[in-house]
Amino acid sequence: MLKESSKKEQFGIIGMHCVSCALTIEQTLKKIPGVKNATVNFTSEKVLIEHENVPADELIKAVEKTGYKLIEENGKNHEGHGERISISDELRHGEHDHHKLLKETEINSLKKKFLIGAVLSILVLIFSFPDYLAAISGMNTGLPDSFRFLILFILTTPVEFWVGVQFWKGVLIGLKNFRANMDTLVVLGTGAAYFYSLFVTLTALSGGNLSVGSLKLDTYFDVAAIVTTLVILGKYLEAKAKGSASEAIKKLLKLQAKTAHVIHEGGHEMDMPIEEAKIGDIILVRPGEKIPVDGIIIEGNSAIDESMVTGESMPIDKKTGDEVIGATINKTGAFKFKATKVGKETFLAQIVKMVEEAQGSKAPIQKYADKITGYFVPIVLGIAIISFVVWIIFAPSAPPGGGLTFALINAVAVLVVACPCALGLATPTAIMVGTGKAAEHGIIIRDAEALELAGKIDTVVLDKTGTLTKGEPAVTDILSIDKDKNKIITLAASLEKLSEHPIARAVVSYAASLSSRSSHPLDTAIYKQAQELKTQFYEVKNFIAHPGKGIEAELLIDANYQKMYLGNVSLIEENGVSLPKELENQINNLESEGKTLLFLANSQNLLGVIAVADTLKERAAEAIQLLQNLGLEVWLITGDNERTAEAIAKKLGIVNIMARVLPQQKSEKVKELQLQARKVAMIGDGINDAPALTQADVGIAIGTGTDIAIESADITLVSGDPMGIYEAIKLSRRTLMTIKQNLFWAYIYNIILIPVAAGILWPFFGILLNPILAGGAMAFSSVSVVLNSLRLKRLDLHK
């Protein structure tokens, strides 16, 4: 957790061309006093800055000095607008998202430059090989070399310095920061071909001799033009593909309602934009409409489609007192609700924020790629220089054109083919698609590290109540020593009425709540039994809760306060009360059915036993089976005794059980598994199990609705469906696999093609890598990595 003085802010970045640019921005920001951490995501072109109240202007100015530009996302003063605009407003309307508009402008610019560059490059190619043109068309232009070279120069110059201007700007920024980057490789490669060709052109126009011994000077404008155009094509395809990687957030934002029907004093209705809705407003929602903001129903009932946040396709019945989530869809009845959260505080806004932060974070595996990239460009420059020198000296049998041409071609090919874009895209593109895919299924992943670690999990520890069960226990049996069941339930309800525990609510409901029913399947039987009871709660004092065991208090009975205990068998035995033998068989039978037993006792004797059952969630057993099919070792952890735990485990197909575990002991149990060199995922409710969730390698909070504590775990399952556990781990594994695939192909591409470009195959097989082909291969490698990551969007998590 962050300290109160720390905060996280996200900014858009303009001007990045490669991973080296991202590293430069990161290092610059980290040097600013008060900045604790900065993580640049090259794919999304955003930076997440953790700092201690450093002014935004100071961050922006520091980055501007390096040649890049930060765009505020929490609040900004855009040139020409003269007003501060909230990012929540921009996201809500889908309008005036400055970074998005600039990105769209950049994509359109890249497309325009590619098309113009492609036309000019084709012309350059035609004039570069007039003999081939004559052979194909049967026409001989008869142009002298000097005039042909001049035409090539005129056609190539706009490609080199207009189409490829971003690379030249990038080099200047790199020089300013004493850092070589991807732009350096492109500019050195195409620039060497261009200026060498310019020298030859000027020599020809001045009437100079183009033959130096056996060396026939020729131009390589085609290399400069076509390579620049191909690299721009790669950049255009990257930009388009990276936009697709963040479609999950765009889909969520599009779900938001635009207006709200607010009921004012006097009962009249007024439509207003949702950004004007305030906490406490009474809002009407009609069938088929989207719920504008978060709130609580105060009148009416309906079925609501919450699939946009939970991933569940079936509508959920809602009634007075239930919470509703903004942007979900009202399917049937009309209702009124009171707004409790608006703007950036809504559940959807929090999800969007967390997904964006996760997409902007770095996985541990990416740190190795970043470290290698930092050394990569200088090494490539060294290889290019060595290749040039070696082939200048040792190229007696070089192809027509001589050693200088041969050396130049190889050096340019090395510089062009080695652009490390694929390495920089390998991890963040997979992270973006993976976290976006998860969000679509109601799985909120806090950061990239959690996503990577979840893919390495080999052991899953599942809390029982609320995770595998519905968390809605109900009283099923009452055992009484003196046969007075009414007295037993009345005493128990008197003790439990001060508790909010689900079991306590079940006991109180059984005893007193005769006028309402819930959706619990046992309610009909409970209702009939409860009608027969005439209850009157007793006054309570000195109430004490014993976590994981039960409660004790003094009840006012017949004008005297009597000490009472209600809890598990450990609680009453610790207080000197033993179980009567005549109840042993009945107790064993109830425990064997997986029911939780509450023992009621006074200071001397056991008075009765109350059996409570919590039904399993529909797909819990299926989820356990699928987890085991993944090769995971599954453990059930519960505070119940061994017999009850075994009964539940048997129904679920779980072999490994940890019973009689108190809440404060769960983290120790997780640690014991970790000491056996296991990678452990702990799944709990996200609040009571917080220490165990923190101790685990990956903590997964499972719950429903807007009450879920998203901040309590690494991964949050919004719907509460146990199948989400399987889906989260499966997706994490597949994402990690995709990252490894991307890194493998990016490394292999460079390891194989750099030596080939340097000419290592020429002495043995007569094979050279033309710089034009090198440019195409470089662009293809980057795009292939992005496309491989996008395959995650088609992953079926239900199989």
Side-chain angles (χ1 to χ4, degrees):
M1 297 294 291
L2 296 175
K3 295 180 181 179
E4 289 185 5
S5 59
S6 297
K7 65 177 181 179
K8 287 184 178 181
E9 282 190 288
Q10 189 163 255
F11 295 80
I13 305 174
I14 300 298
M16 278 201 309
H17 304 306
C18 65
V19 182
S20 296
C21 301
L23 295 176
T24 298
I25 296 170
E26 276 189 6
Q27 292 175 1
T28 299
L29 288 169
K30 288 177 180 178
K31 291 177 182 177
I32 300 174
V35 174
K36 301 177 69 175
N37 193 28
T39 304
V40 174
N41 188 320
F42 173 55
T43 304
S44 63
E45 298 184 347
K46 293 183 180 181
V47 58
L48 184 64
I49 306 173
E50 181 185 338
H51 61 90
E52 296 176 348
N53 295 317
V54 179
D57 291 343
E58 186 176 337
L59 300 172
I60 292 171
K61 288 178 182 178
V63 173
E64 280 183 348
K65 290 179 181 178
T66 65
Y68 307 97
K69 186 175 182 180
L70 290 188
I71 301 295
E72 287 188 78
E73 294 201 345
N74 293 325
K76 44 194 162 292
N77 192 356
H78 296 329
E79 184 179 349
H81 294 279
E83 59 178 316
R84 297 190 70 80
I85 300 168
S86 168
I87 187 65
S88 60
D89 294 337
E90 295 185 1
L91 294 180
R92 185 178 294 115
H93 293 294
E95 300 169 355
H96 201 79
D97 185 341
H98 198 52
H99 182 257
K100 178 183 176 183
L101 292 175
L102 288 172
K103 189 61 189 172
E104 289 176 351
T105 301
E106 180 189 353
I107 291 174
N108 292 331
S109 175
L110 288 171
K111 181 180 180 180
K112 179 181 178 182
K113 287 183 176 182
F114 165 68
L115 292 175
I116 294 175
V119 172
L120 293 175
S121 296
I122 291 172
L123 294 174
V124 168
L125 192 62
I126 290 173
F127 281 99
S128 295
F129 301 97
D131 294 338
Y132 290 105
L133 177 64
I136 295 171
S137 64
M139 298 170 55
N140 191 347
T141 59
L143 291 175
D145 283 347
S146 58
F147 187 66
R148 184 169 59 85
F149 291 167
L150 179 60
I151 293 174
L152 289 171
F153 166 72
I154 294 172
L155 292 172
T156 304
T157 299
V159 178
E160 181 70 27
F161 297 106
W162 179 72
V163 174
V165 66
Q166 68 185 61
F167 306 122
W168 290 92
K169 288 181 178 179
V171 168
L172 293 176
I173 293 173
L175 291 174
K176 186 177 181 179
N177 296 292
F178 302 102
R179 179 185 288 274
N181 53 30
M182 184 275 278
D183 297 325
T184 307
L185 301 181
V186 174
V187 164
L188 285 176
T190 62
Y194 176 84
F195 287 108
Y196 170 76
S197 301
L198 178 59
F199 166 75
V200 173
T201 299
L202 294 175
T203 301
L205 291 174
S206 63
N209 186 6
L210 295 180
S211 298
V212 182
S214 60
L215 175 62
K216 176 68 166 64
L217 298 180
D218 201 350
T219 62
Y220 289 93
F221 284 118
D222 56 322
V223 172
I226 295 175
V227 167
T228 299
T229 301
L230 286 173
V231 176
I232 285 294
L233 172 61
K235 287 294 178 185
Y236 169 68
L237 295 175
E238 278 178 27
K240 291 281 287 182
K242 286 192 290 187
S244 299
S246 59
E247 280 182 358
I249 290 179
K250 296 176 185 176
K251 288 179 181 177
L252 286 175
L253 294 173
K254 287 179 181 177
L255 291 171
Q256 292 180 312
K258 298 293 188 293
T259 59
H261 310 307
V262 179
I263 307 298
H264 289 282
E265 293 181 7
H268 66 279
E269 175 187 330
M270 179 179 292
D271 290 351
M272 62 173 57
I274 61 170
E275 63 267 26
E276 296 181 15
K278 300 179 180 63
I279 294 176
D281 280 349
I282 305 302
I283 299 173
L284 171 66
V285 184
R286 298 185 177 92
E289 292 182 338
K290 293 179 181 177
I291 298 171
V293 295
D294 296 0
I296 298 176
I297 296 177
I298 60 172
E299 180 183 324
N301 55 74
S302 181
I304 297 177
D305 178 2
E306 295 186 341
S307 59
M308 48 77 67
V309 291
T310 66
E312 291 296 317
S313 58
M314 293 297 293
I316 299 173
D317 291 331
K318 298 280 185 174
K319 60 183 183 302
T320 301
D322 288 342
E323 294 178 330
V324 292
I325 304 172
T328 56
I329 301 172
N330 180 28
K331 303 295 286 187
T332 55
F335 63 88
K336 295 177 183 178
F337 75 96
K338 184 176 182 180
T340 57
K341 293 180 182 178
V342 298
K344 65 180 181 180
E345 299 301 322
T346 63
F347 187 66
L348 179 63
Q350 292 298 312
I351 287 180
V352 170
K353 179 184 176 183
M354 289 200 68
V355 173
E356 283 190 327
E357 289 184 359
Q359 291 183 340
S361 62
K362 286 188 179 181
I365 196 171
Q366 187 177 348
K367 296 176 183 177
Y368 297 105
D370 288 348
K371 189 173 183 179
I372 291 173
T373 302
Y375 298 105
F376 186 78
V377 175
I379 291 173
V380 169
L381 290 174
I383 293 173
I385 293 170
I386 293 171
S387 173
F388 183 82
V389 172
V390 167
W391 290 117
I392 278 284
I393 299 172
F394 301 104
S397 60
L404 177 62
T405 301
F406 189 84
L408 179 65
I409 290 294
N410 287 335
V412 170
V414 169
L415 292 169
V416 172
V417 82
C419 293
C421 290
L423 284 174
L425 292 168
T427 300
T429 52
I431 294 295
M432 285 187 71
V433 179
T435 51
K437 179 77 172 180
E440 291 177 7
H441 287 77
I443 303 168
I444 310 304
I445 299 173
R446 175 177 288 186
D447 53 35
E449 183 174 4
L451 185 67
E452 179 178 330
L453 289 174
K456 298 178 180 179
I457 290 299
D458 55 33
T459 304
V460 174
V461 179
L462 296 156
D463 182 47
K464 187 198 77 172
T465 305
T467 300
L468 297 172
T469 64
K470 293 182 177 179
E472 298 176 357
V475 175
T476 58
D477 303 271
I478 301 173
L479 304 180
S480 176
I481 301 299
D482 60 6
K483 308 299 182 183
D484 186 358
K485 294 183 179 181
N486 290 15
K487 186 71 172 287
I488 297 299
I489 197 66
T490 302
L491 292 170
S494 299
L495 291 168
E496 294 280 31
K497 69 181 180 181
L498 299 177
S499 174
E500 288 300 318
H501 192 281
I503 291 179
R505 290 199 298 269
V507 172
V508 175
S509 174
Y510 185 96
S513 300
L514 305 180
S515 60
S516 62
R517 306 185 190 188
S518 72
S519 59
H520 196 284
L522 296 177
D523 271 5
T524 302
I526 294 171
Y527 183 77
K528 289 179 180 179
Q529 289 181 345
Q531 279 183 315
E532 300 172 0
L533 301 177
K534 296 180 181 179
T535 60
Q536 182 179 357
F537 291 171
Y538 297 98
E539 184 180 324
V540 181
K541 74 172 185 178
N542 297 330
F543 178 92
I544 301 173
H546 299 281
K549 294 182 180 180
I551 56 177
E552 68 172 87
E554 293 180 24
L555 299 183
L556 182 59
I557 303 173
D558 298 330
N560 294 313
Y561 280 100
Q562 299 181 26
K563 175 77 77 174
M564 292 286 175
Y565 301 93
L566 180 67
N568 59 24
V569 69
S570 298
L571 178 67
I572 63 168
E573 288 180 345
E574 287 175 4
N575 289 279
V577 179
S578 58
L579 297 180
K581 290 186 178 181
E582 60 267 26
L583 292 183
E584 283 185 359
N585 289 336
Q586 291 174 281
I587 290 173
N588 291 340
N589 290 335
L590 292 173
E591 288 182 341
S592 66
E593 295 173 6
K595 296 177 180 179
T596 299
L597 302 187
L598 301 177
F599 295 87
L600 177 69
N602 57 24
S603 300
Q604 294 85 29
N605 302 305
L606 180 73
L607 302 179
V609 181
I610 300 171
V612 179
D614 186 3
T615 56
L616 293 173
K617 292 182 177 179
E618 284 79 1
R619 299 204 290 176
E622 181 186 357
I624 299 301
Q625 182 61 53
L626 290 171
L627 288 171
Q628 292 170 340
N629 291 345
L630 290 177
L632 297 169
E633 185 174 288
V634 180
W635 285 77
L636 174 67
I637 188 168
T638 177
D640 293 335
N641 59 46
E642 289 80 358
R643 188 174 298 166
T644 303
E646 286 174 1
I648 295 292
K650 186 176 181 180
K651 293 179 182 178
L652 293 167
I654 298 176
V655 177
N656 306 296
I657 302 169
M658 289 182 276
R660 297 183 186 273
V661 181
L662 300 178
Q664 62 269 28
Q665 295 175 333
K666 290 180 181 178
S667 60
E668 292 299 321
K669 295 295 183 180
V670 171
K671 189 182 295 185
E672 288 175 11
L673 291 172
Q674 290 173 322
L675 291 175
Q676 300 173 24
R678 297 178 183 275
K679 295 292 183 182
V680 180
M682 172 69 195
I683 295 90
D685 63 12
I687 302 173
N688 297 331
D689 300 314
L693 292 170
T694 303
Q695 176 62 44
D697 297 280
V698 176
I700 301 179
I702 188 165
T704 55
T706 56
D707 285 335
I708 190 162
I710 293 180
E711 292 294 330
S712 66
D714 302 302
I715 298 174
T716 300
L717 309 179
V718 179
S719 72
D721 186 347
M723 283 296 292
I725 306 167
Y726 164 74
E727 293 172 354
I729 294 176
K730 179 180 179 179
L731 178 60
S732 298
R733 284 189 173 187
R734 188 61 63 88
T735 303
L736 185 58
M737 181 190 300
T738 300
I739 291 172
K740 290 179 178 178
Q741 289 172 347
N742 288 347
L743 290 173
F744 172 79
W745 288 113
Y747 284 125
I748 288 296
Y749 159 82
N750 284 291
I751 290 171
I752 293 176
L753 290 188
I754 289 177
V756 173
I760 196 171
L761 297 180
W762 173 256
F764 309 103
F765 306 104
I767 296 175
L768 287 179
L769 183 63
N770 188 288
I772 294 174
L773 296 178
M778 184 275 292
F780 174 76
S781 70
S782 298
V783 175
S784 64
V785 162
V786 177
L787 292 177
N788 187 48
S789 296
L790 290 176
R791 289 171 57 235
L792 286 169
K793 294 174 69 175
R794 299 194 299 272
L795 177 64
D796 188 350
L797 294 180
H798 301 295
K799 292 184 178 179

